[in-house]
Amino acid sequence: MQTQLRKKDTYRDGIDTLLQLRDQLMQTICLFKEDLEREDFNAMPFINAEGYHSKTIAYSLWHIFRIEDIVAHTLINDDEQVFFSGKYKERINSPIITTGNELIKQEIADFSAKLNIDELYTYISEVKKSTESILSKLPFDMLKKKISPERKDLLISLNTVSTDENAAWLVDYWCRKDIRGLIQMPFSRHWIMHIEACLRIIRKIK
C-alpha cells in the first residue's frame, strides 16, 4: 500500500489495498462485539505495563476512531466530524470529546465503563464509511499537501485534542505530516497497533 501510494499510476491501487486492509481489520473489531461480554471491554489486565495493551478494548476502539474522525474531517476534508454531526457524545454517553490520550490507568477503566458499546460501534461504522468516502475522492495531487496553519488553528479551537501533555503533542505530530503520511498512520498503522493490543488483552482475560 505504501509503495503504491507513491506513484500516480498506482495510487488508486494503493487506496484499494488500504480499503481491503481496513475491511480485514474491521472483521476483527466486529468479532470483539460478538465474542466478548460487556465487562470484557473494561478489562485492564496490563494496567501497569508500557504499551498499547495497558489500555482497555473500549478505550482502544474509541481512541482509534476519534483520531480517524478528527484527521479525516477536520484536517483533510475541512468539514464537520461525524462525532458532532451525529451527536455521538450523548449517544455513546462519553464524558469526553477528545482522543483520550490524556487518560491514564484507572481513569481509562472508569471511562470505558461509562460507554454505550452499541452506539460506539455505530460510530465506528459511520466513521469508517465516511473516511473511505473521502479517500475514494481524494486526488493524487493532494497527497503531498501539508496541513495549513489555519486548519491547525481550527483543530485546536475544537478542543478535541486535550491540552494535557500526554495528548497535546498530537496536534504538531499530525500537522507536520502530509496527507499521504496521515493515510499511512491514523487510517492504517494506528488501527493495527491498537487491534493487536486488544488481542493481547483478550488472550489474557480469556
Side-chain angles (χ1 to χ4, degrees):
M1 181 265 287
Q2 293 180 7
T3 301
Q4 289 170 329
L5 289 180
R6 291 193 190 104
K7 295 182 179 180
K8 191 167 187 176
D9 59 348
T10 57
Y11 165 62
R12 277 291 135 208
D13 294 330
I15 295 295
D16 288 344
T17 302
L18 171 62
L19 299 187
Q20 290 170 24
L21 169 66
R22 286 164 59 89
D23 283 345
Q24 290 176 15
L25 293 169
M26 191 66 181
Q27 288 176 11
T28 301
I29 289 173
C30 290
L31 282 176
F32 296 164
K33 192 164 187 288
E34 291 178 22
D35 296 344
L36 300 177
E37 303 295 331
R38 174 62 187 87
E39 58 268 23
D40 295 335
F41 284 90
N42 311 333
M44 294 187 76
F46 303 105
I47 190 168
N48 293 313
E50 293 291 329
Y52 299 116
H53 59 299
S54 67
K55 320 297 186 184
T56 69
I57 295 169
Y59 169 93
S60 299
L61 296 177
W62 166 275
H63 176 73
I64 291 169
F65 289 93
R66 279 305 289 128
I67 282 182
E68 177 158 314
D69 194 7
I70 293 164
V71 170
H73 290 279
T74 299
L75 293 183
I76 295 178
N77 215 43
D78 192 22
D79 62 0
E80 190 174 25
Q81 294 172 29
V82 171
F83 186 77
F84 295 121
S85 62
K87 296 181 169 53
Y88 276 104
K89 183 179 190 298
E90 297 78 16
R91 291 168 62 178
I92 298 173
N93 192 38
S94 172
I96 63 173
I97 66 170
T98 61
T99 63
N101 285 70
E102 68 278 14
L103 302 179
I104 58 171
K105 297 191 176 181
Q106 190 58 41
E107 292 173 345
I108 292 174
D110 294 343
F111 163 75
S112 301
K114 291 183 173 77
L115 303 185
N116 181 318
I117 296 297
D118 288 336
E119 288 291 357
L120 176 59
Y121 267 82
T122 304
Y123 175 63
I124 286 168
S125 178
E126 195 171 341
V127 170
K128 179 179 182 289
K129 183 178 178 181
S130 68
T131 297
E132 291 171 1
S133 176
I134 291 168
L135 289 173
S136 69
K137 300 167 188 168
L138 198 66
F140 176 77
D141 296 342
M142 280 281 289
L143 290 192
K144 292 183 180 178
K145 187 175 180 181
K146 294 273 192 174
I147 303 303
S148 69
E150 294 77 16
R151 203 71 61 86
K152 181 178 178 179
D153 289 343
L154 172 62
L155 171 63
I156 293 169
S157 73
L158 290 172
N159 298 314
T160 51
V161 177
S162 171
T163 55
D164 183 279
E165 64 179 357
N166 289 324
W169 61 272
L170 273 173
V171 173
D172 286 334
Y173 174 77
W174 291 334
C175 293
R176 281 196 300 266
K177 291 183 177 292
D178 57 16
I179 302 300
R180 181 191 287 111
L182 293 176
I183 290 172
Q184 290 174 345
M185 185 57 182
F187 298 168
S188 51
R189 193 181 303 131
H190 192 237
W191 281 43
I192 293 169
M193 295 187 304
H194 282 284
I195 291 170
E196 190 274 336
C198 290
L199 293 171
R200 290 180 71 177
I201 293 169
I202 291 168
R203 285 195 294 270
K204 185 69 172 178
I205 63 177
K206 294 297 185 183

